């Protein structure tokens, strides 16, 4: 066994020999120095970080530019950087100091060794926690299906482990049939781009549902013609909307007005007392504080712009409704990020605030709620048209007087008798749902997007019909979600609202909202005319009945 030796150099003549130092004493001094250095840098890091955060908050409140720094702030920034570099090196993140570490010489560089260095011992493998890799996937699809059925391979991991979304869907589909014992032969799996939905639209797919898409139009709205795509399985819906578009077109077209554009999110926070909750309510609704809160909120996105804050109190719980524009996106995620920024900012002045949930249903999303009917959510639109008397008679097969009376007794009085909430219309949700499915919108938001009141009135000495629809909460977007899928993107392109508007951010989504309202106007006009003329049952019996033997198809 070779022994490592240090070659001693003789001391120069006349120089006394120094006493040999005890290595144990050096090892005891080094930890003490290390602890002291660590304490200094830790204290420096937290103190300057607190100082800079405090100064940053004061600048936001006083509208001072963040890039304007004083000498004390410059010194604090330099100290923060130095402490970060030291702490990163201390915790083993030495890539920053890598050039300096390589340039430093080791203690043994000036020592002549006659024998090679011993290898550095590695940790015992038994001391490290075992990392078991996932079992390798079988090569054949049949073996993978059996593994999914047995539970040894999770179904949700197929995409990531196979690296082939289409193959994963096919294998999962076969596994579902074997587990349930039921056939899904009518559900197609071929001909769909599963990579386009991975991680954003649908998890664990086994196929896709086919919904036929029809077109209604041209819809003459604000001087332009639009061919409206509608995805539906209901007979007569597209044909009826198309008839309404024709009546509007030959009467000179419809006009629309965007009343408001503001998506909402309302977190719920709790305090120890109602008094403290009231103090935050007064703080949020004070106009003097709005600019500071808007700066914090708007950092979440270059398109998010805070418009309004309203708070409602229930005991010691506070519901805060934030409203903001979101560009061409529907914007729920964008608003949520902005709300989170504001809540973090408020924690400094209200440390006793307990955030119960980022959404407290005061928003209110995907639920029929009076707050959306009154305050609006998303895009608030009113659309109107004047239908000439001869068009009412020849195209709609009814009269102005019959339509006005039916609208009053059905859409207004009848809905009031039913206690309707935003449902003062004939079938607005029919058109909203069909357009939403065709253009990749969230179909669940049909609930509040279908809030609509239809008004009809005889004008021009009782000869012509004035019809309008007012829809306070149309929630649409032209980017994100299902709008980027191929079929839905094609329908948006048909309307001329695909993607984000480069000239005016938000213009495409606002235009889509007005097209939805115009389509609803056409659908309301046609259906109400069919009911007034007694054509509803006959048309559905003709167009909404299948002559096929369903029992044979099912078998």
């Amino acid at each position: 066994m070779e022994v490592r030796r240090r070659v001693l150099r003789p001391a120069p003549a006349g120089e006394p020999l120094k006493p040999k130092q005890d290595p144990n004493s050096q090892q005891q001094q080094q930890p003490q120095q290390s602890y002291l250095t660590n304490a200094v840098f830790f204290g420096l890091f937290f103190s300057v970080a607190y100082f800079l955060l405090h100064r940053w908050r004061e600048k936001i409140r006083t509208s001072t530019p963040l890039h304007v720094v004083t000498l004390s702030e410059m010194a604090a920034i330099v100290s923060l950087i130095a402490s970060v570099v030291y702490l990163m090196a201390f915790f083993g993140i030495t890539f920053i100091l890598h050039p300096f570490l390589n340039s430093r010489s080791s203690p043994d560089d000036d020592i002549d060794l006659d024998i090679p260095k011993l290898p550095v011992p590695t940790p015992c493998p038994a001391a490290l926690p075992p990392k078991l890799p996932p079992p390798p996937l079988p090569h054949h699809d049949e073996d993978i299906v059996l593994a999914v059925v047995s539970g040894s391979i999770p179904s949700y991991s197929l995409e990531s482990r196979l690296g082939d979304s289409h193959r994963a869907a096919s294998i999962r589909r076969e596994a579902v049939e074997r587990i349930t014992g039921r056939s899904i032969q009518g559900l197609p799996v071929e001909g769909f781009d599963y990579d386009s939905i991975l991680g954003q639209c649908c998890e664990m797919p086994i196929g896709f549902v086919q919904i036929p898409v029809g077109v209604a139009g041209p819809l003459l709205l604000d001087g332009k013609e639009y061919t409206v795509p509608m995805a539906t399985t209901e007979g007569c819906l597209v044909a009826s909307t198309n008839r309404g578009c024709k009546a509007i077109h030959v009467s000179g077209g419809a006009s629309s007005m965007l009343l408001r554009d503001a998506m909402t999110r309302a977190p719920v926070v709790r305090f120890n007392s109602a008094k403290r909750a009231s103090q935050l309510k007064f703080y949020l609704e004070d106009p003097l504080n709005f600019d500071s809160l808007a700066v914090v909120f708007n950092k979440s996105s270059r398109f998010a712009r805070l418009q309004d804050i309203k708070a409602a109190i229930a005991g010691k719980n506070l519901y805060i409704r934030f409203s903001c524009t979101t560009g061409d996106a529907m914007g729920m995620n964008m608003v949520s990020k902005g709300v989170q920024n504001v809540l973090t900012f408020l924690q400094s002045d209200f440390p006793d605030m307990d955030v119960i949930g980022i959404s407290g249903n005061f928003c209110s999303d995907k639920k029929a709620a009076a707050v959306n009917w009154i305050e609006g959510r998303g895009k608030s639109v009113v659309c109107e048209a004047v239908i000439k008397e001869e068009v009412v008679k020849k195209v709609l097969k009814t009269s102005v007087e019959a339509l006005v009376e039916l609208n009053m007794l059905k859409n207004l009085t009848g809905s009031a008798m039913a206690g309707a909430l935003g449902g003062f219309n004939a079938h607005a949700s029919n058109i909203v749902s069909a357009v939403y499915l065709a253009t990749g919108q969230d179909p669940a938001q049909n609930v509040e997007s279908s809030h609509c009141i239809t008004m009809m009135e005889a004008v021009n000495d009782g000869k012509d019909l004035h019809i309008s629809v007012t829809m306070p909460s149309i929630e649409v977007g032209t980017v994100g979600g299902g709008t980027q899928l191929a079929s839905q993107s094609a329908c948006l392109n048909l309307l001329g609202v695909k993607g984000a508007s480069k000239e005016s951010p938000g213009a495409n989504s606002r235009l889509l909202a007005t097209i939805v309202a115009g389509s609803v106007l056409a659908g309301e006009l046609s259906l109400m005319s069919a009911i007034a003329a007694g054509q509803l049952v006959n048309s559905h019996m003709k167009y909404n009945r299948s002559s096929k033997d369903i029992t044979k198809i099912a078998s």
Side-chain angles (χ1 to χ4, degrees), residues 41 79-91 93 96-97:
F41 276 97
S79 301
L80 182 66
I81 296 174
S83 61
V84 168
V85 172
Y86 172 82
L87 293 176
M88 292 179 69
F90 173 74
F91 284 108
I93 310 175
I96 293 181
L97 303 177

Side-chain angles (χ1 to χ4, degrees), residues 91-406:
F91 284 108
I93 310 175
T94 57
F95 64 90
I96 293 181
L97 303 177
H98 185 69
F100 303 98
L101 295 177
N102 288 343
S103 63
R104 293 179 58 184
S105 59
S106 64
D108 292 334
D109 284 347
D110 59 340
I111 299 175
D112 299 326
L113 298 180
D114 298 333
I115 53 178
K117 296 181 181 180
L118 295 176
V120 179
T122 57
C124 178
L128 299 176
K131 294 182 179 179
L132 299 177
L137 286 175
H139 295 290
H140 301 289
D141 288 357
E142 176 63 23
D143 297 331
I144 300 177
V145 171
L146 294 176
V148 174
V149 172
S150 65
S152 58
I153 296 180
S155 176
Y156 61 80
S157 66
L158 289 176
E159 280 80 5
S160 60
R161 298 185 64 178
L162 289 173
D164 187 338
S165 299
H166 181 274
R167 185 184 175 195
S170 301
I171 291 174
R172 183 181 295 110
R173 172 194 181 90
E174 180 64 27
V176 168
E177 285 189 328
R178 298 189 186 185
I179 292 173
T180 61
R182 297 183 179 276
S183 173
I184 50 177
Q185 184 178 1
L187 183 68
V189 68
E190 300 295 335
F192 187 82
D193 182 11
Y194 293 95
D195 289 332
S196 64
I197 66 173
L198 184 62
Q200 59 184 1
C201 289
C202 181
E203 299 77 36
M204 296 192 292
I206 61 172
F208 59 96
V209 174
Q210 296 172 319
I211 303 179
V213 178
V215 290
L219 171 66
L220 183 57
L221 178 65
D222 298 324
K224 295 183 179 181
E225 293 184 351
Y226 301 95
T227 300
V228 183
M230 302 175 66
T232 181
T233 57
E234 179 183 354
C236 292
L237 179 59
V238 177
S240 177
T241 307
N242 188 68
R243 185 176 73 150
C245 291
K246 179 181 178 180
I248 294 173
H249 196 288
V250 297
S251 297
S255 60
S256 65
M257 180 63 67
L258 186 80
L259 305 176
R260 194 183 185 204
D261 181 7
M263 182 51 66
T264 64
R265 175 60 85 195
V268 52
V269 299
R270 181 172 58 193
F271 290 88
N272 293 328
S273 66
K275 180 178 180 180
R276 283 291 288 165
S278 302
Q279 291 174 351
L280 178 56
K281 173 180 170 63
F282 297 147
Y283 175 87
L284 293 171
E285 295 182 348
D286 189 345
L288 298 178
N289 299 323
F290 181 82
D291 290 340
S292 299
L293 296 174
V295 170
V296 176
F297 185 97
N298 296 344
K299 290 192 307 177
S300 62
S301 170
R302 57 196 178 108
F303 299 112
R305 292 295 177 267
L306 185 64
Q307 290 187 339
D308 187 31
I309 301 177
K310 291 187 177 181
I313 191 170
K316 57 182 183 178
N317 305 303
L318 189 66
Y319 297 81
I320 313 168
R321 195 171 193 258
F322 294 83
S323 303
C324 82
T325 57
T326 55
D328 283 304
M330 186 270 290
M332 287 300 302
N333 294 333
M334 192 184 303
V335 182
S336 298
K337 289 192 295 183
V339 169
Q340 187 62 59
N341 289 345
V342 174
L343 293 177
T344 303
F345 175 77
L346 291 174
Q347 289 281 176
S348 59
D349 290 331
F350 296 88
D352 53 337
M353 180 181 67
D354 184 15
V355 180
I356 304 300
I358 193 69
S359 175
N361 276 8
F362 189 48
C363 312
S364 172
D365 186 39
K366 302 174 183 177
K367 291 166 283 290
V371 67
N372 292 336
W373 176 240
I374 299 172
E375 299 289 343
R377 188 172 196 255
K379 277 71 174 174
S380 300
V381 182
V382 60
C383 187
E384 64 179 348
V386 176
I387 311 301
K388 298 179 180 180
E389 181 182 21
E390 57 270 22
V391 175
V392 174
K393 293 180 178 180
K394 294 180 180 181
V395 178
L396 301 178
K397 311 299 182 184
T398 185
S399 65
V400 173
E401 296 81 1
L403 282 173
V404 172
E405 182 181 23
L406 178 63

Side-chain angles (χ1 to χ4, degrees), residues 510-534:
R510 291 191 289 267
L511 177 56
L512 179 58
T514 60
I515 293 174
V516 171
S519 303
V520 170
L521 183 72
E524 290 287 283
L525 179 62
S526 182
L527 177 60
M528 291 294 288
S529 299
I531 296 175

